[in-house]
Amino acid sequence: IEQVCLIIIGAITYSSLYGILRWKILPGKLNISSTYTNGVSHCNNTIHTHSTNLPGYTAAIISEKTVSVLVGAISGISGLYILWETRYNVLRAKSTLILPTACLIYWYFFQDLYSMFETFRLSRECNITTSTTQALLLFSKQKFIMTFHHVVLLSLTIPFAQGRLRNGFGDFYVGCLFTMELSTPFIAMHFIFDHCGFKDTLIQQINGIVFAVVFFIVRIASFPLMFLIYVFQHHNGHIMNAMYDMYWFCYAPFVLAFAMQLFWFLAVVKKVSRGAKRLYGNEHKQ
């Protein structure tokens, strides 16, 4: 009953936040005005009661990413607490927060699939479609990886949190997975800044740098740290003994996930660097 209640609370919270932002607060209220000096945009966000409405796409993507900020913060903060609870034994220590957190964020995967589709349906990528069915087919094709990612998480989140797929071991590592979501609010804020008139501004660049740093800590540095903690707690610091003792289906996904995170981190660094160059170039044009 407690698990069902948490799922319902999550569903009400995320759906309400998305709906209120998209259909009540943003349309007709947020006016983004810009002035230009020598080709440089100076943006000023103001609230007006009789301003022009935001395009549907802009309201949809800001609402989508705002919910992502909330869920990323919930997951990341919960992950930190789980790590603290289980730090003394990374294999066998138990946390009381894993299942409640999993249930609370479970509905988000439904909500995010819906909001991503709504954003996609209103984007330029989808302007050739004439029906919801066509838009859905195009969305599933172009956003296949994210769709597959969400479907897998919908299938595995609760059983994994309950410990069924890991024989009750490794609550610490589940906490690490939750902690990785600490980077999500910053990438979501990047899109929000893009569509609120702060593209290529100092505040967006600061957000990008913080995002890169947080991403490195929770998604890159955490991998060797997870392994080393296991080695020193259970193998007295002998790395080769630890590797020999691990099954291939334990370390193979570990290595694959690390490689993926490293690839994404390099992409993040490149994007932040390009943003810094644009900002620096704009400042010299003024």
Side-chain angles (χ1 to χ4, degrees):
I1 295 177
E2 179 184 350
Q3 297 174 26
V4 174
C5 289
L6 286 170
I7 292 174
I8 293 173
I9 290 171
I12 294 172
T13 301
Y14 309 139
S15 300
S16 299
L17 177 60
Y18 179 83
I20 291 172
L21 283 173
R22 182 178 174 189
W23 288 295
K24 294 296 182 181
I25 295 179
L26 293 178
K29 296 293 180 67
L30 180 61
N31 178 49
I32 301 172
S33 57
S34 300
T35 59
Y36 294 86
T37 306
N38 297 327
V40 180
S41 174
H42 306 277
C43 300
N44 177 34
N45 293 347
T46 55
I47 302 295
H48 296 292
T49 56
H50 51 273
S51 61
T52 54
N53 291 344
L54 278 174
Y57 172 80
T58 304
I61 195 168
I62 292 176
S63 304
E64 173 195 334
K65 298 305 179 182
T66 302
V67 176
S68 296
V69 170
L70 174 62
V71 175
I74 291 172
S75 301
I77 294 171
S78 298
L80 291 175
Y81 181 80
I82 293 166
L83 294 184
W84 179 257
E85 270 192 314
T86 59
R87 68 194 184 281
Y88 58 88
N89 191 323
V90 297
L91 285 185
R92 296 180 175 84
K94 300 297 180 185
S95 172
T96 57
L97 198 59
I98 288 179
L99 188 55
T101 301
C103 292
L104 189 60
I105 67 173
Y106 186 73
W107 183 262
Y108 167 74
F109 302 115
F110 288 108
Q111 173 66 41
D112 200 45
L113 280 173
Y114 166 75
S115 57
M116 283 193 303
F117 171 69
E118 284 293 291
T119 301
F120 177 80
R121 188 174 61 86
L122 296 169
S123 70
R124 288 191 295 268
E125 298 173 272
C126 198
N127 61 8
I128 60 172
T129 62
T130 56
S131 69
T132 301
T133 302
Q134 289 177 308
L136 188 59
L137 290 173
L138 189 59
F139 171 78
S140 61
K141 180 180 179 181
Q142 294 194 16
K143 307 292 183 180
F144 174 77
I145 294 178
M146 285 301 297
T147 303
F148 178 75
H149 169 269
H150 280 43
V151 170
V152 169
L153 289 177
L154 282 168
S155 305
L156 299 181
T157 295
I158 299 299
F160 194 77
Q162 291 172 333
R164 295 179 187 177
L165 302 178
R166 49 191 177 89
N167 294 324
F169 292 109
D171 282 18
F172 176 85
Y173 295 105
V174 178
C176 289
L177 293 176
F178 282 140
T179 305
M180 289 181 182
E181 294 304 314
L182 283 172
S183 63
T184 299
F186 299 101
I187 185 61
M189 287 303 300
H190 173 83
F191 287 99
I192 293 173
F193 287 142
D194 260 357
H195 295 277
C196 284
F198 291 101
K199 185 176 178 64
D200 293 337
T201 59
L202 181 59
I203 188 172
Q204 189 184 50
Q205 187 61 26
I206 292 173
N207 177 76
I209 294 171
V210 174
F211 170 56
V213 172
V214 173
F215 191 102
F216 178 81
I217 294 172
V218 301
R219 291 178 180 260
I220 302 296
S222 61
F223 278 88
L225 182 61
M226 284 188 281
F227 180 68
L228 288 174
I229 291 175
Y230 165 73
V231 169
F232 280 95
Q233 283 191 359
H234 297 276
H235 292 277
N236 296 319
H238 299 295
I239 294 177
M240 297 308 298
N241 289 347
M243 294 184 66
Y244 180 79
D245 192 52
M246 291 175 67
Y247 294 106
W248 70 269
F249 52 79
C250 293
Y251 63 76
F254 184 91
V255 173
L256 178 61
F258 177 73
M260 292 174 59
Q261 300 299 332
L262 187 59
F263 173 80
W264 288 335
F265 176 69
L266 294 175
V268 168
V269 172
K270 289 180 181 178
K271 187 172 183 64
V272 172
S273 299
R274 288 196 298 267
K277 289 178 181 178
R278 289 196 299 269
L279 178 62
Y280 181 77
N282 288 343
E283 288 178 347
H284 277 262
K285 290 178 182 178
Q286 295 185 35

